[in-house]
Amino acid sequence: KWRDCRMLMVCHHIDINDQNKYFRDFWRSRVRISEREVDDSDMLVQRHTLFGHGWDSFAEEHVSHFRCLFDYTDMPFDSQNCKLTFFIPDVLDSVIRLEWGSPGVAGQEMSNAE
């Protein structure tokens, strides 16, 4: 029997987080980031949002540690940029949208002495 949420409860969306018993039944992407060294698994939160028109939006939030090389030639007037290389197996880049959440990407603040 088909149970379309639009017919049953006029739903706009349903959230299924990683604590839900059905969460593992959904496909989710396996994102690899080349520069990642370690993830803090205690901070991992994943969820699917199922919209009434059939779209499934997958989101994950986690804390990771990255390392990149710095060039201190112009110190103390230098600026540093680190590159993150995302790889999602078997998914075309034309169908992926990556968004930085709020407050976005953050790092530990460092002084010139560190």
Side-chain angles (χ1 to χ4, degrees):
K1 184 175 180 181
W2 178 251
R3 294 180 180 250
D4 188 327
C5 73
R6 294 170 293 182
M7 302 289 213
L8 293 175
M9 61 190 91
V10 191
C11 65
H12 296 284
H13 70 274
I14 299 171
D15 286 316
I16 300 173
N17 67 24
D18 52 7
Q19 302 301 307
N20 188 295
K21 68 180 181 177
Y22 297 111
F23 179 81
R24 300 280 174 225
D25 294 339
F26 288 88
W27 177 87
R28 61 194 176 283
S29 57
R30 303 282 188 215
V31 177
R32 292 194 314 244
I33 305 172
S34 301
E35 297 79 10
R36 180 171 38 204
E37 291 193 346
V38 125
D39 268 337
D40 185 345
S41 59
D42 292 336
M43 299 293 286
L44 178 64
V45 176
Q46 298 175 315
R47 74 181 160 282
H48 286 275
T49 301
L50 307 172
F51 295 94
H53 52 59
W55 283 87
D56 177 2
S57 173
F58 173 72
E60 66 180 1
E61 301 169 13
H62 51 94
V63 173
S64 298
H65 297 260
F66 301 90
R67 188 171 307 272
C68 64
L69 297 175
F70 286 167
D71 178 6
Y72 296 108
T73 306
D74 296 325
M75 192 171 173
F77 305 106
D78 60 326
S79 63
Q80 307 296 333
N81 293 308
C82 291
K83 172 180 88 170
L84 297 179
T85 309
F86 290 83
F87 178 67
I88 305 172
D90 302 321
V91 178
L92 298 173
D93 59 352
S94 61
V95 299
I96 298 297
R97 185 176 78 200
L98 297 175
E99 295 180 6
W100 296 117
S102 177
V105 179
Q108 295 176 343
E109 195 158 324
M110 301 169 75
S111 72
N112 287 348
E114 294 182 272

